[in-house]
Amino acid sequence: MMIKSQNISLHDSLIQGKDNIVSDMGTEKVMLSVHNGKYYNLGEVGGRIWDLLVTPVTVQQIVSTLMTEYNVEQSECEQRVVSFLEHLLEEEIIQFNG
């Protein structure tokens, strides 16, 4: 069952959902969601975000980490991270913590 699109703020805390099988494919990560039977290519940056979600983390913490690791402006980083996370949330791959 798909959940309605939810807006994620920089202060929200998120964590990986259960029942996902993730493999490294070179510099990228691919995932199988056992829950919905779909495959996802998270890419390099998406894979890094996935790694950060292993424990509860705020969106702002993810953005700050990526800004130190990649040459990206804050506004663009925030926009892309929120969009990516909202997609994962819609697919029920991640969940709000708390």
Side-chain angles (χ1 to χ4, degrees):
M1 176 178 93
M2 292 290 207
I3 59 175
K4 190 174 179 184
S5 178
Q6 296 186 34
N7 291 334
I8 293 176
S9 81
L10 295 175
H11 304 290
D12 285 329
S13 179
L14 301 162
I15 191 167
Q16 294 177 0
K18 295 180 177 15
D19 298 327
N20 298 299
I21 301 169
V22 180
S23 295
D24 290 318
M25 300 293 282
T27 60
E28 300 184 347
K29 284 196 186 312
V30 293
M31 171 191 303
L32 168 64
S33 170
V34 176
H35 172 73
N36 64 24
K38 293 183 182 178
Y39 281 98
Y40 302 89
N41 182 344
L42 300 178
E44 180 181 347
V45 178
R48 180 66 180 119
I49 292 171
W50 180 256
D51 289 343
L52 294 171
L53 289 163
V54 72
T55 58
V57 63
T58 66
V59 177
Q60 184 60 57
Q61 289 170 314
I62 294 171
V63 169
S64 295
T65 299
L66 295 178
M67 285 177 55
T68 63
E69 296 177 1
Y70 298 92
N71 184 19
V72 61
E73 292 185 21
Q74 183 170 346
S75 61
E76 181 180 353
C77 188
E78 288 175 356
Q79 176 188 6
R80 290 179 182 239
V81 167
V82 167
S83 175
F84 180 75
L85 292 173
E86 285 176 346
H87 179 70
L88 294 184
L89 191 62
E90 287 174 23
E91 295 289 321
E92 300 178 350
I93 294 171
I94 63 171
Q95 59 195 31
F96 287 105
N97 181 55

